Amino acid sequence: MTAVEAETETTTPLTHRLYAEAFGDDRPAELETFSSCSWWLLGTVVGALKLSPGQLLADIGCGRGGPGLWLARATATRLVGIDFSPAALRAAAARADSFGLLGRAHFQRGSFDATTLEDASVDGAVSVDALPFAQDRLAALTEVCRVLRPGARFVFTGREGASSWTAMVEKAGLVLEDRLVHEGANARWLRLFDLWLRHERELRAELGDAAAAQMVEEARAGHRLVETAPLVFVTRRPPIEED
């Protein structure tokens, strides 16, 4: 979740325009997402989760709900979105009908390490650009493992850094099935960060000084962040072995 999504329940025309300019045709416009979500990523998640109609998908750190709503519609599944922000949850719930998910999508407050979901209750989970914000990443992965049904998969985005996601996945009880590079994501982020810096004055006028300053700070730090590869992790809770 970027500064824009964290700070605002609705977004400004300028913010949408800058994202559209930076991400181009790779950005699914319907989602109105403020993450690295792309058409390639959506297709990769659908193929990796292998969900069946009527099953339950969890979107962890769902924000305004775009990717989870799209995925639930595409796979004919039910959706539960988890986020800490009441504003984001309200925005996500308000969009469910436009995705044809009225009565099939539910959004509730929770944290990465305390989702409030029951043990082994979801058939698949996804987290787009949210999990890296967890204060305790291992606890977050352990929580996802808890709520997954045996054999269910969790797909999330992140970058390998000082603490390795690959190592934490195994410690959390999950199995790493694949690790893919999100090609083109770094170039899109760099274009967006440059646009934010070039339009700082206009962003301050539309969003206010506090939100715009956070975006500028994120943009400056982001140029260092993209020195690492954006990755998509496909993990799975081990199935129960039959005797």
Side-chain angles (χ1 to χ4, degrees), residues 84-182:
F84 73 93
S85 167
L89 292 171
R90 287 194 297 269
R95 304 175 70 192
D97 190 25
S98 67
F99 282 84
L101 293 174
L102 193 63
R104 283 172 42 203
H106 174 69
F107 298 91
Q108 62 192 52
R109 193 171 186 182
S111 63
F112 292 111
D113 57 359
T115 62
T116 72
L117 298 172
E118 296 182 1
D119 292 353
S121 60
V122 303
D123 301 290
V126 65
S127 186
V128 178
D129 292 1
L131 210 63
F133 290 97
Q135 291 186 345
D136 187 331
R137 294 180 175 185
L138 177 58
L141 288 168
T142 302
E143 172 71 356
V144 173
C145 185
R146 179 187 70 80
V147 305
L148 288 174
R149 298 186 192 278
R153 293 175 175 84
F154 171 49
V155 182
F156 69 96
T157 58
R159 297 170 186 266
E160 295 285 32
S163 56
S164 169
W165 285 109
T166 301
M168 284 188 289
V169 162
E170 297 177 357
K171 289 182 180 179
L174 297 165
V175 175
L176 181 64
E177 291 194 328
D178 209 349
R179 191 179 72 166
L180 309 167
V181 175
H182 191 172

Side-chain angles (χ1 to χ4, degrees), residues 1-5 18-19 21-24 26-27 33-38 41 128-130 133 157-159 182-197 215 218-223 225-231:
M1 186 189 315
T2 66
V4 178
E5 194 167 14
L18 296 183
Y19 267 89
E21 183 176 342
F23 281 65
D26 291 310
R27 180 188 183 218
T33 184
F34 296 95
S35 67
S36 63
C37 189
S38 64
L41 180 62
V128 178
D129 292 1
F133 290 97
T157 58
R159 297 170 186 266
H182 191 172
E183 297 290 352
N186 272 352
R188 292 190 286 273
W189 279 118
L190 284 174
R191 287 197 295 269
L192 179 62
F193 293 151
D194 286 340
L195 287 168
W196 283 357
L197 294 174
M215 291 171 68
E218 183 176 340
R220 289 171 177 162
H223 282 77
L225 175 66
V226 296
E227 294 176 359
T228 59
L231 301 173

Side-chain angles (χ1 to χ4, degrees), residues 54-72:
Q55 290 186 320
L56 181 61
L57 168 67
D59 186 357
I60 311 298
C62 64
R64 299 175 65 250
L69 288 165
W70 190 97
L71 290 165

